[in-house]
């Protein structure tokens, strides 16, 4: 019977090992901020449905439409971060801008917003700025490593 157990599992002598290692590093290197994708999506989902959760659909109709659109935009950014991370992390700055806009939007878009509406948008905006900053910092770190 032939002995086929020699060096089983050791790929260091395989002729394609350096190429496989480089491909593995390239794939993993583009997923540096994978921990941000899910929270950004959930934040966008909450932003889109928050007018119905907090029941301000009749008192603030412009903010209902606004939060729905911004929530959908955040959800699409999160899906883009998941689908094409190396191309989408440049939009981390846009996510920070959306967060700042969410903080000031109750006074710009709304009419006499109450404290619940203001706090809702400020918290959503602050979390968006924090996640966008984390995304931008990690993308910058990955770009400096690759150059």
């Amino acid at each position: 019977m032939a002995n086929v157990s020699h060096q089983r599992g050791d790929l260091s002598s395989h002729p394609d090992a350096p190429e496989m290692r480089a491909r593995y590093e390239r794939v993993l290197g583009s997923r540096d901020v994978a921990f941000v994708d899910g929270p950004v999506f959930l934040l966008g989902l909450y932003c889109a449905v928050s007018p119905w959760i907090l029941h301000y659909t009749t008192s603030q109709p412009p903010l209902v439409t606004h939060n729905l659109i911004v929530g959908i935009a955040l959800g699409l950014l999160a899906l883009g971060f998941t689908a094409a991370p190396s191309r989408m992390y440049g939009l981390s700055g846009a996510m920070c801008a959306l967060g700042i806009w969410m903080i000031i939007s109750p006074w710009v878009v709304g009419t006499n917003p109450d404290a619940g509406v203001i706090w809702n948008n400020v918290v959503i905006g602050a979390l968006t700025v924090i996640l966008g900053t984390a995304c931008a910092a990690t993308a910058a770190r990955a770009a400096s490593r690759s150059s």
Side-chain angles (χ1 to χ4, degrees), residues 7-26:
Q7 294 183 347
R8 188 171 211 160
D10 182 22
L11 292 178
S12 61
S13 62
H14 193 278
D16 293 333
E19 180 184 340
M20 289 186 294
R21 191 172 296 116
R23 185 180 322 154
Y24 182 73
E25 289 295 324
R26 191 172 54 245

Side-chain angles (χ1 to χ4, degrees), residues 12-142:
S12 61
S13 62
H14 193 278
D16 293 333
E19 180 184 340
M20 289 186 294
R21 191 172 296 116
R23 185 180 322 154
Y24 182 73
E25 289 295 324
R26 191 172 54 245
V27 168
L28 284 183
S30 65
R31 297 296 301 156
D32 283 343
V33 290
F35 67 93
V36 179
D37 301 353
V40 170
F41 183 77
L42 291 175
L43 188 63
L45 181 65
Y46 174 74
C47 181
V49 299
S50 65
W52 291 275
I53 292 173
L54 297 178
H55 304 290
Y56 62 87
T57 56
T58 56
S59 66
Q60 298 290 331
L63 272 175
V64 172
T65 307
H66 170 269
N67 281 17
L68 181 64
I69 291 170
V70 171
I72 291 171
L74 284 173
L76 289 174
L77 276 173
L79 291 175
F81 289 154
T82 302
S86 59
R87 288 184 280 174
M88 290 294 293
Y89 289 129
L91 293 176
S92 302
M95 197 162 86
C96 292
L98 270 177
I100 293 169
W101 172 248
M102 280 300 292
I103 291 171
I104 63 171
S105 67
W107 297 281
V108 176
V109 178
T111 53
N112 296 328
D114 63 354
V117 173
I118 292 170
W119 275 108
N120 179 60
N121 280 19
V122 167
V123 169
I124 291 172
L127 288 172
T128 303
V129 168
I130 290 168
L131 290 172
T133 303
C135 243
T138 309
R141 197 169 40 240

